[in-house]
Amino acid sequence: MTGPLPAARRRLDRLATAAADPARRLFDRLATAAADPVRLAVLATVVLFLALPQVYLLPRGSVDIALGTVVALLLAPVILFAARGESVRRLLRLALVRILLLLLALRLLTLAWSPEPRAGLQSITLLGQFVVTLVLMSAVAGYGTAPLRGLQLWYWPWVLFEAGLVVVFRVLPGLEDAFLHSIAGYFAGQNAVAALFGDNPNNVLDPAKAGGVFINANVAAMFLGINGLAAFALAALTGARWVRVVGVVALLAVPFTGSKSATVLVVALPAAAYGLHRLRRYPTGVLRRYLLIATVPLGAALALLFTLNRGFLDALLEAFAGRSVIWRFGAEAFRDSPLLGLGYGGWNLGFAAYADQHDIWRVFPPHNILLGAWAVTGIAGLALTVGFFVVAFRLVARRMSTHGQVPRVYLVCVGTALAWILVQGLGENTDIFGDIHLIPIVAVLVAYLIRPVIEESGNEESEDNVSHPDGGRRTTSAVPAVGDVHHEPGPGDAELPAVVRGEGPGPEPAADRRG
């Protein structure tokens, strides 16, 4: 059959085929990249490498977008391909992941009633970046701990650099001032640094504080403290002793930031982590003695800190008093609109009027992770934020109560790092992952925390087959393991099932043989 209609149809078919080929090739390339553990490790390396410098390339006056954010979002298709199919279903079964997705959806929905929707773009983008990075690190964790040995070579030197920079800037504040006036915009954002010397100063300008590449010394302290704990956690997985050294250096550098809350936490939380680690290794009687021994030097150290440095205690109380004025406005705003909160931009509008009434010289953000969650997304966002930490801590406790493949030191350090985010976040303007610099390392910690849970969910689907990271299947052997034969160590007779010993009455009881 000939004519204009079939000819047009053939041309449309050719055009559709020509248009589909690039899409098909792109799909195939994404699928190939996602299935290659080496390429996944390279992607994770890039994300980790950009964690500290971030690199803000856009000029002043435009939006501050970090190169690390751009790279993570551009890699999102490959990352989602890496977790497609059954992996996605297993991730979605986790309450922790569901909470993150619900919180992301809620932040998007909040734009509908926000006074200034544009103010929510950064919060939404960073949470999306955290979700994407967590999926990537979960895919890498599916191949075991071997990728970490290569990844950490590109990350921990940056942590050492930040620790050294904090110490140098604390000793030489003039050098920090020169850094802030020259190249700090590439690390902290051009607009953020411009506002630092304009109408939005930050505490890094205080000679008694130092932030390294950060313009907020408290956030710099959080970065160093959490990375110090993360170094001990990941060293427990990889066995790299030099990473433990990085952890020690990072924790020792925390007091040089001048952050009062972080200085207390760097003493209290590692001590609590040590006590928690001992809690699982010794009987109750011995445990009490260990806790008593550990509590005495901890209390003495804090008492000595407050006694010898009275100014430290005064500054700590002054900081709390200043934040209590901010939280008072939050309490009033919560009373007026408890369900929906204030929306994006609503806090600044309300606090401006509050500041005029109480002679406060500028508009301050909430300075509390929970109050900030409510202010933006209402009571639902507050519940999801609390739920994230509750589920995370329960997951750590669950892993510690089982004799799994995750080292107990790792679990203790991860739980302590998450506690640091929450506790210090109660007085700072941070998110559930800390800040943008902490997104990759927190994603790594969570990924290796949820990895055994994902594997368990896969095992529950089939009692005869066990999933492996390489996609293969291993049939469960009918021959029992040693633990199934000898339930307790020491002398005794093995209880062999019929599948091994065959039919028959089996061996005589030991008492009968001894006569």
Side-chain angles (χ1 to χ4, degrees), residues 59-71:
R60 184 184 306 175
S62 56
V63 180
D64 282 337
I65 301 180
L67 182 60
T69 300
V70 175
V71 169

Side-chain angles (χ1 to χ4, degrees), residues 61-246:
S62 56
V63 180
D64 282 337
I65 301 180
L67 182 60
T69 300
V70 175
V71 169
L73 297 182
L74 288 178
L75 295 177
V78 178
I79 295 169
L80 294 178
F81 266 91
R84 68 191 187 281
E86 188 58 35
S87 298
V88 169
R89 287 191 289 272
R90 292 180 186 176
L91 277 174
L92 292 178
R93 291 192 188 101
L94 300 179
L96 202 67
V97 177
R98 292 179 179 178
I99 289 175
L100 289 174
L101 295 177
L102 287 174
L103 188 57
L104 181 59
L106 181 61
R107 291 186 183 184
L108 288 169
L109 183 62
T110 304
L111 295 175
W113 64 79
S114 295
E116 297 180 7
R118 185 179 178 183
L121 295 180
Q122 182 182 23
S123 173
I124 294 171
T125 301
L126 291 184
L127 183 58
Q129 180 181 348
F130 180 60
V131 172
V132 169
T133 307
L134 177 59
V135 174
L136 170 62
M137 299 307 176
S138 298
V140 174
Y143 293 95
T145 59
L148 283 177
R149 296 180 177 87
L151 294 177
Q152 60 192 4
L153 297 174
W154 298 93
Y155 180 73
W156 296 121
W158 279 121
V159 177
L160 290 175
F161 174 77
E162 167 64 12
L165 206 60
V166 163
V167 174
V168 171
F169 284 172
R170 182 65 185 273
V171 177
L172 302 172
L175 187 61
E176 183 176 31
D177 184 72
F179 169 80
L180 293 172
H181 279 90
S182 56
I183 61 174
Y186 295 103
F187 300 97
Q190 304 292 345
N191 295 310
V193 173
L196 178 67
F197 298 102
D199 57 354
N200 192 23
N202 216 310
N203 63 9
V204 77
L205 297 179
D206 187 347
K209 292 183 178 290
V213 302
F214 295 80
I215 61 172
N216 186 289
N218 298 333
V219 179
M222 177 184 284
F223 177 85
L224 290 172
I226 291 172
N227 273 285
L229 294 168
F232 285 107
L234 298 184
L237 295 182
T238 63
R241 295 182 178 179
W242 68 273
V243 176
R244 296 191 185 95
V245 176
V246 175

Side-chain angles (χ1 to χ4, degrees), residues 136-487:
L136 170 62
M137 299 307 176
S138 298
V140 174
Y143 293 95
T145 59
L148 283 177
R149 296 180 177 87
L151 294 177
Q152 60 192 4
L153 297 174
W154 298 93
Y155 180 73
W156 296 121
W158 279 121
V159 177
L160 290 175
F161 174 77
E162 167 64 12
L165 206 60
V166 163
V167 174
V168 171
F169 284 172
R170 182 65 185 273
V171 177
L172 302 172
L175 187 61
E176 183 176 31
D177 184 72
F179 169 80
L180 293 172
H181 279 90
S182 56
I183 61 174
Y186 295 103
F187 300 97
Q190 304 292 345
N191 295 310
V193 173
L196 178 67
F197 298 102
D199 57 354
N200 192 23
N202 216 310
N203 63 9
V204 77
L205 297 179
D206 187 347
K209 292 183 178 290
V213 302
F214 295 80
I215 61 172
N216 186 289
N218 298 333
V219 179
M222 177 184 284
F223 177 85
L224 290 172
I226 291 172
N227 273 285
L229 294 168
F232 285 107
L234 298 184
L237 295 182
T238 63
R241 295 182 178 179
W242 68 273
V243 176
R244 296 191 185 95
V245 176
V246 175
V248 172
V249 172
L251 292 176
L252 291 178
V254 168
F256 286 91
T257 64
S259 173
K260 297 167 286 295
S261 59
T263 301
V264 175
L265 290 178
V266 80
V267 177
L269 288 182
Y274 177 79
L276 186 60
H277 178 57
R278 293 295 183 183
L279 175 71
R280 307 301 305 181
R281 296 187 59 183
Y282 293 96
T284 305
V286 179
L287 170 64
R288 292 196 185 103
R289 290 194 291 271
Y290 268 106
L291 290 181
L292 180 61
I293 293 173
T295 303
V296 171
L298 173 61
L302 293 177
L304 186 65
L305 176 65
F306 293 140
T307 302
L308 297 181
N309 191 354
R310 179 66 184 180
F312 179 87
L313 180 59
D314 294 338
L316 188 65
L317 295 176
E318 181 182 355
F320 179 80
R323 281 163 170 75
S324 64
V325 176
I326 302 172
W327 298 336
R328 193 176 302 124
F329 164 72
E332 295 178 3
F334 180 84
R335 181 188 59 200
D336 297 336
S337 178
L339 294 180
L340 294 180
L342 305 176
Y344 291 107
W347 176 277
N348 290 342
L349 293 176
F351 196 90
Y354 176 82
D356 292 338
Q357 295 174 1
H358 296 80
D359 295 328
I360 301 174
W361 67 281
R362 56 171 287 200
V363 175
F364 288 96
H367 282 80
N368 185 288
I369 185 174
L370 302 181
L371 181 58
W374 166 82
V376 172
T377 52
I379 198 70
L382 173 60
L384 289 174
T385 302
V386 173
F388 173 82
F389 287 103
V390 170
V391 171
F393 291 138
R394 288 185 62 184
L395 188 56
V396 171
R398 172 186 170 188
R399 302 312 308 170
M400 290 185 64
S401 64
T402 60
H403 301 284
Q405 58 184 339
V406 182
R408 191 154 287 156
V409 173
Y410 177 83
L411 296 171
V412 169
C413 291
V414 170
T416 309
L418 293 173
W420 191 311
I421 293 177
L422 176 60
V423 174
Q424 191 173 353
L426 294 177
E428 305 296 340
N429 298 300
T430 52
D431 212 324
I432 56 177
F433 46 78
D435 87 316
I436 184 174
H437 303 81
L438 285 167
I439 286 178
I441 193 63
V442 173
V444 171
L445 295 179
V446 175
Y448 280 90
L449 176 64
I450 66 178
R451 176 186 168 221
V453 182
I454 296 175
E455 293 176 351
E456 287 173 4
S457 67
N459 293 341
E460 290 172 358
E461 295 174 1
S462 174
E463 298 178 357
D464 298 325
N465 297 318
V466 179
S467 300
H468 286 274
D470 59 2
R473 314 290 293 182
R474 176 171 59 87
T475 302
T476 304
S477 174
V479 179
V482 174
D484 299 327
V485 176
H486 277 286
H487 300 298

